[in-house]
Amino acid sequence: MSDPKKPGKGPSGSRGSNGSAAGESGDRTDGGYNAGMAVFSYIIGGIIVWSLIGWGLDYLWGTRWIVLAGALLGAVGGFYLSHMHGLTSSRKNAGERHAASGPSTDGDTNAK
């Protein structure tokens, strides 16, 4: 048997330096921060990219409003991407059970 206080390969498989399984975070406190930074990056990146595209089109066509439309499109597109990647949804704890949000399944037995 191996010493449970020492990190390394034990009977339950590969372990990280903090005793958690490989590929898992031990404290799990940075998930919200990382998701927030990803949402921020998508939105800011979308604004920058689509503003530059709009600026180029404004330059070619001699207009002044496409850069603003590009910035708005970039912000909406960045939020859409972050939503589709599941970064804007609220997370539920794995072991916690929540009340059902659907209609009652007991029929009309409790109706007055």
Side-chain angles (χ1 to χ4, degrees):
M1 283 238 131
S2 64
D3 187 7
K5 293 182 183 180
K6 288 186 180 179
K9 234 176 170 122
S12 61
S14 175
R15 294 284 179 178
S17 62
N18 62 356
S20 63
E24 293 182 12
S25 175
D27 55 335
R28 298 192 190 274
T29 59
D30 60 348
Y33 177 78
N34 288 340
M37 288 303 293
V39 170
F40 178 76
S41 299
Y42 279 134
I43 293 173
I44 296 301
I47 290 171
I48 290 172
V49 168
W50 285 101
S51 293
L52 287 173
I53 291 171
W55 176 78
L57 292 175
D58 277 341
Y59 180 76
L60 287 175
W61 295 338
T63 59
R64 296 178 61 182
W65 60 271
I66 300 177
V67 66
L68 297 174
L72 182 63
L73 179 69
V76 170
F79 184 78
Y80 175 76
L81 280 176
S82 62
H83 180 71
M84 295 311 291
H85 285 216
L87 300 172
T88 58
S89 62
S90 62
R91 297 180 182 188
K92 296 179 181 175
N93 293 338
E96 195 174 315
R97 303 245 335 150
H98 297 284
S101 60
S104 174
T105 57
D106 63 349
D108 293 335
T109 57
N110 294 331
K112 291 183 179 185

